[in-house]
Amino acid sequence: MPTRRELANAIRFLSIDAVQKANSGHPGMPMGMADIAEVLWNDFLRHNPENPNWINRDRFVLSNGHGATLLYSLLHLTGYPLSLDDLKQFRQLHSKTPGHPEYGHTPGIETTTGPLGQGFANAVGMAIAEKNLAAHFNRPHLEIVDHYTYVFVGDGCLMEGISHEVASLAGTLQLGKLIVIYDDNGISIDGNTQGWFTDNTPARFEAYGWHVIAQVDGHNPKTIAAAIEEARDMPHKPSLICCKTQIGFGSPHLAGSAKTHGSPLGETEITATREALGWAHPPFVIPPDIYAAWDARKLGAGLALEWQEKFDQYRKTNPILAEEFLRRTQRKLPNDWERKNKIFLQTCIEKNQPIATRKASEICLDAYAKLLPELIGGSADLTPSNNTWHTLSKVFEAKQPDGNYIHYGVREFGMFAIMNGLAIHGGLIPYGGTFLTFVDYGRNAIRLAALMKIRSIFVLTHDSIGLGEDGPTHQPIEHAAILRLTPNVTVWRPCDLIETAIAWKNALENQQGPTCLLLSRQNLPTERRDLKTLPYVERGGYILQDCKGKPQAIIIATGSEVSLASIAFARLTEQGYSVRLVSMPSTNVFDQQDASYRESVLPAKIEARVAVEAGAADFWYKYVGLKGKIIGLNRYGESAPCEAVYAALGITAEHIEKAVKKLL
């Protein structure tokens, strides 16, 4: 039987060899954390390599994702469909082993990591999801949701500000099944961290309300196992296990040095490391007895079967709950989704009063929360401003884990990344609100949601200069364009209740990436349309008002500026001009339509075009061409009432009217 050190060395040398072959990568962390990983994965982690998506598996998140070869080695050794050839293709084009772990790309990867701290935040979301689903579905002696979330973090993760945001919230929420293991090696890229990271980390986490186990020998399997056991026995506190490790462990000349962080060891040092650790095997060779000791397929299948038997019993006594659990965890919408949507949209058409689209969003939430109990919302301390609270909202907190609303506090980045963890876990659809201008605080989490193609819904209110008096610090200019240019992100900027309802419907149905809903603070009139128009609204851009015959010019508007364009359209029509008004609530969705539909809305021969949006102007050249006119902004706003700001910055019906006439 191989020793524990030999099992850990299998991780070390697969990682060393993969990095060396690629001539690129980070061998130091896998070498330093191999002993911890061996204990966690062999003694504690409940998972099933033959079914990586088994819903009750423990989650393992590698927040310090630069050490990806550690995770790839673990997946390979324990029996996931990740071959030795895959490891040999580390960091190569189209391989299953990219430079950082990618969710949805490699079996067994729970989340995309690399930007430090975000994996930690995702894990907080996963732990919230476990606690929430357990509260909803578990019954005495039939606990179908019962798993831990384990996280590896490094010094870099804990230096990032997001770690403070999410650790604070996790302690408040008493996430007892969240266990974070800190690779306390005192080394980052620039060298010894004593020059820039002298925090008392144990005291910091104790202040957050965590259970902290300090000064654990990260190369002693017994002390590691004892610490994990202790953490698992703390049901009302998340745990931080601080493991003292040596980066590049086993390397005779480079261990403990930043030189092992992000560079291959080199053939000479690898040979010396093999000798130092007593590893006599050639590159990428793992002895059969070590493979056998690592293989988790039989145990994993047994755990999954045991759970399935429990679920079958659960299904007999709780058939309705069981079917709901399956629907939610399989990410399916209810069977009557389309029918009830049509009813709701009909009621929206019948409403005809001015309304801010943030308020329209609240109306939508009231309706959709009744259809989708898996909706879990929140706000970064802007609930009454974002209108993210609905009639069925109930606060999620330590003593009320069945709640569906999270008060995130002023933690935009943490909120977005926690939402991603909720979405990845399954069984829940997260949405969270803040002001559009504050998307800057958390945009990298939106980017990772896009990269992972997950259903996170970002409710971003106060979407323009229309918020008025708060002034340019709060008035977004470039933000809508940045979000629209981010691959896999769908942006909706609706002009009224109908467009808001369709935006929400699209967001809830969209499982190919995150959705950003850009919503107004100010009231907007309801535009005239009927049921026949609704399918066209869903196509992202459509003819809202048209002339008889061929138009001379086209006005394209979005969001709160549609009402201004509608006034200009009416005036131009009265003066005998033939004009078409196109509302484009989602440029992303419109661009995905077939060429014939796009041509029917924006005929290529009509070059007289005016685009209107109270935001970055340059984005709209793709729709108006170089001969068209854009009424937008290339400057920051002003502090004044909404109408005064619009007038001062030249975004008015009069300016639209003049622009069309000038083109004609």
Side-chain angles (χ1 to χ4, degrees):
M1 181 69 181
T3 65
R4 304 208 77 141
R5 178 54 54 82
E6 287 173 326
L7 295 176
N9 284 345
I11 299 172
R12 289 189 171 97
F13 285 100
L14 284 175
S15 299
I16 289 170
D17 294 338
V19 170
Q20 186 64 28
K21 187 175 187 302
N23 196 30
S24 175
H26 300 75
M29 184 281 252
M31 295 169 72
M33 295 198 79
D35 295 307
I36 305 168
E38 187 277 320
V39 172
L40 176 62
W41 279 62
N42 280 327
D43 291 5
F44 296 98
L45 196 73
R46 292 166 58 89
H47 62 117
N48 182 12
E50 294 185 332
N51 181 9
N53 296 319
W54 171 42
I55 189 62
N56 200 46
R57 69 193 181 278
D58 289 337
R59 271 56 171 182
F60 174 75
V61 173
L62 189 75
S63 187
N64 41 352
H66 54 272
T69 52
L70 176 137
L71 183 48
Y72 298 147
S73 299
L74 287 164
L75 295 172
H76 169 71
L77 290 167
T78 54
Y80 285 78
L82 194 69
S83 69
L84 206 57
D85 285 339
D86 291 325
L87 267 63
K88 292 177 182 178
Q89 291 300 305
F90 176 56
R91 292 193 164 210
Q92 304 309 300
L93 187 64
H94 303 313
S95 77
K96 288 185 180 179
T97 49
H100 290 81
E102 295 183 21
Y103 171 79
H105 185 75
T106 310
I109 302 297
E110 296 289 1
T111 183
T112 296
T113 55
L116 294 176
Q118 284 198 64
F120 183 4
N122 295 163
V124 172
M126 294 174 190
I128 291 172
E130 192 277 341
K131 188 166 186 170
N132 181 260
L133 292 170
H136 277 283
F137 289 102
N138 285 354
R139 293 296 179 267
H141 310 296
L142 290 172
E143 296 180 337
I144 59 171
V145 182
D146 181 17
H147 62 78
Y148 287 86
T149 301
Y150 297 98
V151 196
F152 278 8
V153 302
D155 291 302
C157 292
L158 299 189
M159 283 187 249
E160 287 285 0
I162 190 173
S163 73
H164 297 256
E165 295 183 20
V166 302
S168 173
L169 186 59
T172 299
L173 297 177
Q174 298 179 15
L175 302 177
K177 289 189 175 178
L178 174 65
I179 298 175
V180 177
I181 301 176
Y182 167 35
D183 181 27
D184 183 9
N185 61 31
I187 297 292
S188 63
I189 293 175
D190 282 357
N192 191 302
T193 59
Q194 282 300 305
W196 50 86
F197 184 51
T198 57
D199 299 16
N200 185 335
T201 298
R204 170 188 155 193
F205 275 78
E206 285 172 356
Y208 292 146
W210 285 56
H211 175 66
V212 178
I213 308 168
Q215 295 294 324
V216 175
D217 182 349
H219 300 299
N220 185 327
K222 289 184 179 179
T223 62
I224 296 165
I228 297 173
E229 286 281 13
E230 181 181 331
R232 285 164 58 92
D233 289 337
M234 296 298 298
H236 304 302
K237 285 187 176 183
S239 292
L240 178 73
I241 302 173
C242 302
C243 289
K244 285 291 183 181
T245 64
Q246 186 179 49
I247 191 170
F249 179 89
S251 170
H253 306 106
L254 298 177
S257 164
K259 293 179 180 179
T260 69
H261 174 87
S263 301
L265 298 184
E267 295 292 354
T268 301
E269 189 65 15
I270 291 173
T271 299
T273 305
R274 279 186 157 80
E275 292 176 1
L277 292 176
W279 188 261
H281 315 292
F284 296 106
V285 172
I286 303 295
D289 61 335
I290 291 182
Y291 266 130
W294 268 109
D295 193 341
R297 286 173 291 187
K298 183 177 180 180
L299 177 60
L303 292 171
L305 179 60
E306 179 184 314
W307 179 86
Q308 186 61 51
E309 290 171 350
K310 180 183 287 189
F311 184 76
D312 291 341
Q313 184 181 354
Y314 179 92
R315 202 172 197 169
K316 290 177 182 178
T317 55
N318 305 279
I320 296 175
L321 273 177
E323 291 309 309
E324 178 67 5
F325 178 79
L326 289 175
R327 180 190 70 78
R328 288 171 57 169
T329 55
Q330 292 170 3
R331 294 177 166 86
K332 294 180 179 178
L333 295 170
N335 291 331
D336 57 356
W337 172 252
E338 287 294 337
R339 180 181 65 82
K340 289 187 175 178
N341 250 298
K342 288 181 180 178
I343 295 171
F344 173 57
L345 292 174
Q346 177 66 57
T347 64
C348 291
I349 285 179
E350 293 167 0
K351 295 181 185 293
N352 191 27
Q353 72 271 21
I355 188 172
T357 50
R358 62 171 175 157
K359 180 63 178 178
S361 174
E362 181 185 311
I363 293 170
C364 296
L365 279 169
D366 281 343
Y368 287 129
K370 295 171 186 175
L371 305 182
L372 299 170
E374 62 264 44
L375 273 175
I376 183 165
S379 171
D381 201 48
L382 288 168
T383 295
S385 296
N386 297 147
N387 293 90
T388 40
W389 183 272
H390 55 76
T391 53
L392 296 181
S393 289
K394 178 181 179 181
V395 175
F396 174 92
E397 54 190 356
K399 295 181 180 179
Q400 189 168 266
D402 62 337
N404 61 4
Y405 194 88
I406 301 170
H407 287 296
Y408 287 100
V410 187
R411 303 181 179 104
E412 294 88 357
F413 195 4
M415 175 178 69
F416 288 171
I418 287 172
M419 287 168 55
N420 289 346
L422 290 165
I424 292 164
H425 181 281
L428 297 167
I429 302 175
Y431 68 92
T434 187
F435 290 175
L436 175 56
T437 192
F438 299 149
V439 80
D440 288 335
Y441 281 119
R443 201 182 74 82
N444 198 258
I446 295 180
R447 185 176 189 272
L448 286 190
L451 186 60
M452 293 188 278
K453 298 181 180 180
I454 58 175
R455 182 172 45 179
S456 293
I457 302 173
F458 302 99
V459 180
L460 306 171
T461 69
H462 297 58
D463 70 340
S464 74
I465 57 172
L467 67 88
E469 290 87 343
D470 277 333
T473 61
H474 285 51
Q475 294 168 1
I477 302 297
E478 70 276 23
H479 302 75
I482 291 170
L483 291 171
R484 289 174 180 138
L485 291 170
T486 305
N488 302 332
V489 174
T490 300
V491 178
W492 286 84
R493 187 167 182 253
C495 73
D496 60 8
L497 175 57
I498 281 290
E499 288 190 359
T500 305
I502 287 173
W504 261 108
K505 177 178 180 289
N506 179 276
L508 293 166
E509 292 175 344
N510 177 20
Q511 299 203 44
Q512 298 303 311
T515 300
C516 295
L517 304 176
L518 280 47
L519 307 170
S520 74
R521 175 184 183 271
Q522 72 273 33
N523 287 339
L524 304 173
T526 298
E527 299 298 326
R528 292 177 297 167
R529 60 176 78 76
D530 55 30
L531 277 171
K532 294 179 181 178
T533 312
L534 296 188
Y536 300 108
V537 181
E538 293 202 47
R539 302 186 82 164
Y542 64 102
I543 301 169
L544 179 62
Q545 298 187 56
D546 211 358
C547 60
K548 294 180 180 179
K550 181 181 177 181
Q552 298 171 287
I554 300 174
I555 304 171
I556 308 167
T558 183
S560 46
E561 288 70 65
V562 170
S563 59
L564 299 177
S566 187
I567 294 170
F569 171 88
R571 291 176 180 172
L572 289 163
T573 300
E574 288 174 1
Q575 297 170 49
Y577 292 96
S578 296
V579 182
R580 170 176 292 178
L581 173 57
V582 171
S583 177
M584 197 173 287
S586 178
T587 61
N588 308 100
V589 174
F590 180 75
D591 289 348
Q592 293 168 8
Q593 304 306 308
D594 59 80
S596 62
Y597 178 76
R598 286 183 277 119
E599 173 67 17
S600 71
V601 176
L602 300 175
K605 291 182 179 180
I606 302 175
E607 295 184 342
R609 301 183 184 190
V610 176
V612 190
E613 183 170 57
D618 286 358
F619 173 84
W620 290 95
Y621 279 114
K622 65 187 288 188
Y623 298 107
V624 303
L626 296 178
K627 295 181 180 180
K629 173 72 175 174
I630 301 166
I631 296 178
L633 298 170
N634 58 7
R635 54 156 291 183
Y636 293 113
E638 299 283 351
S639 176
C642 170
E643 296 80 4
V645 179
Y646 267 92
L649 299 186
I651 301 179
T652 63
E654 290 76 15
H655 279 86
I656 300 170
E657 181 183 349
K658 289 178 181 178
V660 171
K661 289 179 178 177
K662 189 173 182 180
L663 287 173
L664 296 176

XYZ file of all heavy atoms in Angstrom, residues 106-136:
212
model
N -14.067 21.176 -18.470
C -13.404 19.983 -17.967
C -14.297 19.327 -16.927
O -14.724 19.996 -15.977
C -12.048 20.350 -17.317
O -11.305 21.170 -18.227
C -11.254 19.110 -16.970
N -14.615 18.038 -17.051
C -15.467 17.369 -16.060
C -14.878 17.468 -14.658
O -13.682 17.229 -14.454
C -15.488 15.908 -16.539
C -15.114 15.963 -17.982
C -14.179 17.122 -18.127
N -15.707 17.858 -13.697
C -15.256 17.949 -12.317
C -14.852 19.335 -11.875
O -14.600 19.555 -10.684
N -14.776 20.288 -12.792
C -14.433 21.666 -12.426
C -15.711 22.370 -11.974
O -16.665 22.497 -12.739
C -13.805 22.422 -13.609
C -12.547 21.713 -14.112
C -13.505 23.860 -13.215
C -11.422 21.632 -13.131
N -15.723 22.849 -10.739
C -16.943 23.432 -10.177
C -17.154 24.889 -10.576
O -18.287 25.364 -10.614
C -16.918 23.331 -8.650
C -16.919 21.912 -8.107
C -18.254 21.189 -8.283
O -19.193 21.782 -8.853
O -18.346 20.031 -7.859
N -16.075 25.608 -10.862
C -16.210 27.006 -11.250
C -14.918 27.465 -11.908
O -13.853 26.897 -11.668
C -16.528 27.902 -10.027
O -16.716 29.255 -10.464
C -15.427 27.861 -8.984
N -15.038 28.473 -12.737
C -13.860 29.054 -13.387
C -13.125 29.943 -12.384
O -13.726 30.831 -11.779
C -14.279 29.879 -14.613
O -14.869 29.002 -15.575
C -13.083 30.581 -15.237
N -11.834 29.686 -12.215
C -11.053 30.488 -11.277
C -9.755 30.945 -11.926
O -9.334 30.427 -12.946
C -10.732 29.697 -9.994
O -10.068 28.470 -10.335
C -11.987 29.384 -9.209
N -9.145 31.903 -11.318
C -7.927 32.516 -11.832
C -7.833 33.936 -11.313
O -6.866 34.286 -10.627
N -8.841 34.792 -11.589
C -8.877 36.098 -10.926
C -9.054 35.874 -9.421
O -10.113 35.408 -8.978
C -10.102 36.777 -11.550
C -10.299 36.077 -12.860
C -9.906 34.656 -12.596
N -8.045 36.149 -8.642
C -7.987 35.671 -7.262
C -9.118 36.222 -6.398
O -9.528 37.365 -6.521
C -6.630 36.024 -6.655
C -5.448 35.290 -7.299
C -4.130 35.768 -6.717
C -5.588 33.785 -7.149
N -9.596 35.372 -5.512
C -10.655 35.716 -4.581
C -12.040 35.350 -5.056
O -12.946 35.136 -4.245
N -12.235 35.251 -6.368
C -13.590 35.005 -6.854
C -14.047 33.567 -6.623
O -15.233 33.318 -6.402
C -13.706 35.366 -8.332
C -13.780 36.857 -8.546
C -14.310 37.227 -9.910
O -15.448 36.948 -10.258
N -13.470 37.855 -10.703
N -13.115 32.615 -6.666
C -13.506 31.249 -6.346
C -14.009 31.145 -4.920
O -14.991 30.453 -4.626
N -13.345 31.848 -4.000
C -13.783 31.929 -2.609
C -15.212 32.455 -2.550
O -16.088 31.890 -1.877
C -12.803 32.848 -1.861
C -13.041 33.019 -0.393
C -14.027 32.323 0.285
C -12.246 33.889 0.334
C -14.227 32.492 1.653
C -12.421 34.068 1.697
C -13.426 33.367 2.357
N -15.472 33.532 -3.287
C -16.805 34.132 -3.292
C -17.838 33.189 -3.905
O -18.964 33.066 -3.404
C -16.778 35.449 -4.058
N -17.479 32.518 -4.994
C -18.384 31.534 -5.592
C -18.744 30.463 -4.566
O -19.894 30.008 -4.482
C -17.738 30.847 -6.789
C -17.449 31.762 -7.961
O -16.666 31.412 -8.835
N -18.061 32.943 -8.000
N -17.748 30.040 -3.796
C -17.971 28.991 -2.802
C -18.939 29.448 -1.717
O -19.752 28.649 -1.219
C -16.640 28.573 -2.181
N -18.885 30.719 -1.351
C -19.860 31.249 -0.401
C -21.263 31.107 -0.987
O -22.214 30.709 -0.298
C -19.546 32.710 -0.044
C -20.665 33.320 0.800
C -18.219 32.808 0.700
N -21.396 31.409 -2.283
C -22.688 31.228 -2.941
C -23.142 29.776 -2.928
O -24.324 29.479 -2.702
N -22.220 28.862 -3.171
C -22.562 27.436 -3.143
C -23.018 27.008 -1.754
O -23.969 26.219 -1.615
C -21.357 26.612 -3.588
C -20.949 26.821 -5.038
S -19.404 25.949 -5.424
C -19.034 26.626 -7.036
N -22.345 27.512 -0.725
C -22.723 27.162 0.643
C -24.087 27.748 1.010
O -24.881 27.112 1.714
C -21.649 27.644 1.616
N -24.373 28.946 0.525
C -25.708 29.525 0.731
C -26.753 28.654 0.045
O -27.820 28.363 0.607
C -25.767 30.968 0.196
C -24.922 31.904 1.059
C -27.212 31.472 0.137
C -24.777 33.312 0.501
N -26.457 28.228 -1.177
C -27.397 27.390 -1.921
C -27.679 26.090 -1.170
O -28.839 25.659 -1.059
C -26.839 27.089 -3.310
N -26.629 25.462 -0.649
C -26.819 24.216 0.101
C -27.709 24.449 1.308
O -28.642 23.675 1.575
C -25.454 23.665 0.534
C -25.481 22.237 1.075
C -25.861 22.120 2.527
O -25.774 23.128 3.262
O -26.253 21.010 2.953
N -27.450 25.512 2.030
C -28.218 25.803 3.248
C -29.676 26.111 2.909
O -30.598 25.670 3.606
C -27.574 26.974 3.990
C -28.151 27.245 5.359
C -27.260 28.180 6.166
C -27.767 28.328 7.609
N -26.788 29.038 8.469
N -29.883 26.857 1.843
C -31.237 27.235 1.443
C -32.038 26.037 0.942
O -33.190 25.817 1.347
C -31.164 28.320 0.370
C -32.528 28.786 -0.090
O -33.015 28.360 -1.133
N -33.153 29.654 0.688
N -31.447 25.244 0.063
C -32.154 24.086 -0.478
C -32.424 23.050 0.602
O -33.479 22.396 0.607
C -31.357 23.470 -1.628
C -31.250 24.334 -2.887
C -30.250 23.730 -3.861
C -32.610 24.498 -3.559
N -31.488 22.879 1.533
C -31.700 21.950 2.644
C -32.904 22.382 3.472
O -33.729 21.550 3.883
C -30.448 21.878 3.514
N -33.022 23.687 3.707
C -34.146 24.192 4.499
C -35.474 23.963 3.794
O -36.502 23.718 4.441
C -33.946 25.676 4.786
N -35.464 24.025 2.484
C -36.708 23.847 1.725
C -37.091 22.384 1.546
O -38.276 22.032 1.618
C -36.573 24.502 0.345
C -36.845 25.968 0.356
N -38.109 26.495 0.420
C -35.994 27.034 0.327
C -38.046 27.815 0.422
N -36.768 28.171 0.368
